[in-house]
Amino acid sequence: MSAQNYASTMPHVMAVYGRSPLAFERGEGVRLYSTDGEVYLDCVAGIATNGLGHANPVLIEALTRQAHKLWHVSNIYKIPEQEALAKRLTDASFADVVFFANSGAEAVECALKTARKYHSANGSPERYEIIGFEGAFHGRTYATINAAGNESYIEGFGPRLPGYVQAKFGDWDDVRSKIGPNTAGVIIEPVQGEGGARALSPAQMLELREICTQASILLIYDEIQCGMGRSGKLYAYEWAPGAEPDIMTIAKALGGGFPIGACLATQEAARGMLVGAHGSTFGGNPLAMAVGIAAFDEIATPALLAHVNTVSNAMRQQLERLKERYSEIVLDIRGKGLLIGIKLGPNNRDFMVMARDHKLLIAGGGDNCIRMLPPLNITLEEAEEAVQRLEMACKAMRNAAQA
Ligand SMILES: *Cc1c(COP(=O)(O)O)cnc(C)c1O
């Protein structure tokens, strides 16, 4: 079925997604139960969003308890739950202050505005240019598509916004050549997600940090996908001590499936973000914050982060063996922690269908990759089962090629 046909199965919904012909009625941990009675092993996890799996009892408890008390109040009042989550986020990171939004793209909008406002507050309003990277993904708003520069997401939406340029991912000479008197900052994913699970090395991150410091421009990390434990540290930047950003965006697993985004910043970087500079109706409402606090307390523990590394190492060893046995199919294994990218020989979309036939859900990615993004609390047994199902898909793929 073509993407068009899938869309037509939901005729009253804008046809912007290439949907697979599957619907689910419930989930539990890493399992998803489809409306046609099948059980799937979920290594998509809402694209790294259900970090604690489906129907997590701790999150259900936090959500329902808060639902009986208070859902929403305006940000014209104090929201103690917001301060409680912000304190957790800042205590556990480089940041001093947080702005709460409802999605990743909104968090990035805040980050970009914060960077420009910083220079404007410093008397340099001409410093508005943001350097992004080829293959990046920052969301689907006007600013975020322009920051990422992916032509297929910009095309047809009018003129490109001024003030955004792209450099080659990992090519710091290219970055240096693009820094000028108008540069405000650099935005980068320490581990590219949609772009094909490409991870920066600690040395690369330190060098980029140094470039930004030397040029007096702000370094923004987009950790919406690679943050919140996904890389095996709470934040991927922790793999490179000394490469802390000035601003960082998180979302996805922050709410465990409840829509929350956040922009974290140092006091200095946020110096322009004063009363009236920014806002959101829903951002940081008590219901979202209650779930966010519960999710944070589950994820930001040494035990869970150690578990992510244990499972990641086991999966990567098994995948390396798969690569030896199916060298025409599995070309490269990349990413960090449980953000696992596999570059394929055959078409990644065809492979995803094969995996689905073997009751394994995986995500696609740039550079003909597939991504495995299981819940962070997936057990070693479940992770092994995922690789076994992947192997069945490899076998089916090989048989199909030989037929
Ligand atoms: C998903 C994602 C976004 C966008 O988040 P939305 O909630 O879809 O707006 C931005 N940056 C990265 C790295 C992402 O993975």
Side-chain angles (χ1 to χ4, degrees), residues 103-105 137-139 189 194 222 224-225 252:
S103 66
F137 182 73
H138 300 301
E189 298 154 86
E194 309 298 313
D222 180 347
I224 289 168
Q225 189 160 148
K252 294 206 160 97

Side-chain angles (χ1 to χ4, degrees), residues 207-362:
E207 192 178 340
L208 183 61
R209 171 69 269 181
E210 184 58 20
I211 290 168
C212 292
T213 304
Q214 288 302 321
S216 302
I217 60 175
L218 298 178
L219 177 58
I220 305 168
Y221 289 151
D222 180 347
E223 293 224 17
I224 289 168
Q225 189 160 148
C226 64
M228 294 311 296
R230 179 61 52 188
S231 77
K233 300 264 190 200
L234 184 56
Y235 300 114
Y237 76 78
E238 294 172 34
W239 289 104
E244 291 76 15
D246 303 292
I247 302 172
M248 179 173 76
T249 56
I250 53 177
K252 294 206 160 97
L254 176 60
F258 198 94
I260 313 178
C263 174
L264 283 61
T266 62
Q267 197 74 57
E268 172 67 8
R271 63 183 295 178
M273 299 304 269
L274 304 174
V275 173
H278 197 45
S280 165
T281 295
F282 291 121
N285 86 13
L287 198 52
M289 294 299 98
V291 180
I293 289 167
F296 184 90
D297 288 347
E298 289 291 297
I299 290 175
T301 64
L304 185 98
L305 297 172
H307 177 76
V308 170
N309 287 300
T310 303
V311 176
S312 166
N313 290 339
M315 282 183 84
R316 284 168 192 277
Q317 276 174 22
Q318 292 159 16
L319 289 170
E320 287 297 340
R321 289 200 288 275
L322 199 65
K323 181 176 161 218
E324 285 162 21
R325 289 200 297 278
Y326 292 90
S327 55
E328 84 281 19
I329 296 174
V330 177
L331 303 187
D332 187 27
I333 296 154
R334 43 171 94 153
K336 193 93 189 156
L338 287 177
L339 201 172
I340 301 176
I342 303 174
K343 186 174 163 68
L344 295 178
N347 179 274
N348 60 350
R349 300 282 145 187
D350 295 342
F351 189 86
M352 285 163 67
V353 174
M354 286 286 188
R356 198 172 73 212
D357 289 345
H358 292 88
K359 304 293 177 282
L360 174 69
L361 304 175
I362 51 179

Side-chain angles (χ1 to χ4, degrees), residues 10-151:
M10 290 172 61
H12 300 94
V13 177
M14 246 190 227
V16 295
Y17 299 106
R19 299 179 193 269
S20 86
L22 268 184
F24 303 100
E25 61 178 15
R26 74 189 173 86
E28 196 182 331
V30 300
R31 309 282 167 183
L32 272 175
Y33 298 81
S34 64
T35 48
D36 57 1
E38 302 282 357
V39 188
Y40 289 83
L41 188 64
D42 185 10
C43 285
V44 176
I47 320 273
T49 296
N50 304 96
L52 296 167
H54 299 280
N56 183 284
V58 175
L59 300 189
I60 291 174
E61 160 69 15
L63 179 75
T64 48
R65 196 173 350 106
Q66 186 63 39
H68 287 283
K69 291 202 291 186
L70 185 65
W71 292 20
H72 179 83
V73 288
S74 169
N75 275 306
I76 64 176
Y77 302 106
K78 291 204 278 187
I79 300 179
E81 297 84 357
Q82 230 179 76
E83 176 60 21
L85 182 53
K87 171 124 179 41
R88 282 167 169 78
L89 293 172
T90 52
D91 281 352
S93 73
F94 73 96
D96 303 308
V97 288
V98 181
F99 177 86
F100 288 108
N102 315 288
S103 66
E106 284 175 88
V108 176
E109 289 274 342
C110 178
L112 299 171
K113 287 177 77 174
T114 301
R116 286 183 173 178
K117 197 75 164 176
Y118 164 81
H119 291 290
S120 145
N122 273 350
S124 307
E126 76 286 357
R127 287 195 168 271
Y128 56 79
E129 204 164 78
I130 305 287
I131 301 175
F133 291 89
E134 288 167 10
F137 182 73
H138 300 301
R140 296 295 204 126
T141 61
Y142 274 111
T144 56
I145 57 178
N146 279 278
N150 182 333
E151 205 49 61

